[in-house]
Amino acid sequence: ENLEISQPEVLKIATLEPLGTSCYGKSDGKINLSIQGGVAPYHFDFDPGNPFSGSFQKDQLDPGKYVWMLIDSNGCVLPVEFEISSPLPLEVDVRLQKPACPGESNGELIAIPKGQNGPFIFDWKTLSITGDLVTGLSAGVYGLEVTDSNGCVSVGEGKVSEAAPEIRMPTGFDPVNKDLIYQGVSNCETAFELWIFNRWGQLIFFGNKGWDGMVSGKEAPSGTYSYSVNYYYELEGVAKTSNIKGQFTLVR
């Protein structure tokens, strides 16, 4: 009489249920699967010390594609492929708080995270700066990642642009001491040339250091004077000149 030797059922995956992460940046993906056939117990190549029979669960998975090798007690191998998905990151609103002066590093950006799950951790890429407000920035684009208290990551990007200097000429001048000079007040360092005219339109001063109230070594009399000033700067790589004209009163 011939005895038939039964062969084990082919090793296969009965169910495979990956569960994506709850938010971008968090490693809380899960996989649930069940195995049929082959010879139990089974194990995965990355964890041979934990055999199982029938079903397998694993959590705290990073998002991405996985290829695991399932091995049964007879040494049969079955690739198990799946992907842990991740939601897209929320966007952080990054606003220009202050533009940079031409060629300078005094721009400012502020980040406004979405959601209420603070405190937040701010990671400004390419910058060794933390916090929602960053200062001392030159013109350019700056990336940001914000991690909330749940470990969820939002991303953002802010652009610092350059702005023309804001220049104001005083309407009055009182040279009470020799260190006080008449010149414009600006939020940026700029080169300038200044012309001063008396009330008859005669040029009494020209220079790039401001006027000290003296004409040919003598104190200029009180009264109304006119000015014309050129400011020179480079904005976004282009040479610029701004001219301002007006009047001011010298008092003594």
Side-chain angles (χ1 to χ4, degrees), residues 171-192:
T171 57
F173 176 43
D174 181 7
V176 293
N177 62 66
K178 294 182 179 180
D179 294 328
L180 187 62
I181 58 176
Y182 183 79
Q183 62 181 6
V185 178
S186 175
N187 63 324
C188 301
E189 294 290 333
T190 57
F192 68 90

Side-chain angles (χ1 to χ4, degrees), residues 27 35 44 60 80 115 135 155 187 192 228 236:
S27 299
I35 307 300
F44 283 107
Q60 303 302 310
V80 178
T135 62
V155 299
N187 63 324
F192 68 90
S228 177
E236 305 290 356

Side-chain angles (χ1 to χ4, degrees), residues 66-123:
Y66 291 79
V67 180
W68 292 347
M69 294 299 168
L70 177 70
I71 305 170
D72 74 356
S73 294
N74 275 346
C76 296
V77 178
L78 177 68
V80 178
E81 299 185 26
F82 62 94
E83 182 175 2
I84 299 297
S85 61
S86 171
L88 292 174
L90 296 176
E91 289 189 9
V92 182
D93 185 12
V94 184
R95 300 178 184 176
L96 179 64
Q97 189 83 346
K98 177 186 173 184
C101 287
E104 297 185 33
S105 298
N106 60 347
E108 298 180 3
L109 291 173
I110 188 167
I112 304 173
K114 296 179 180 179
Q116 305 297 322
N117 298 321
F120 299 97
I121 299 173
F122 298 86
D123 181 14

Side-chain angles (χ1 to χ4, degrees), residues 130-153:
T130 60
D132 58 342
L133 176 67
V134 287
T135 62
L137 301 177
S138 58
V141 177
Y142 299 87
L144 168 69
E145 287 189 355
V146 177
T147 305
D148 68 12
S149 59
N150 291 331
C152 297
V153 175

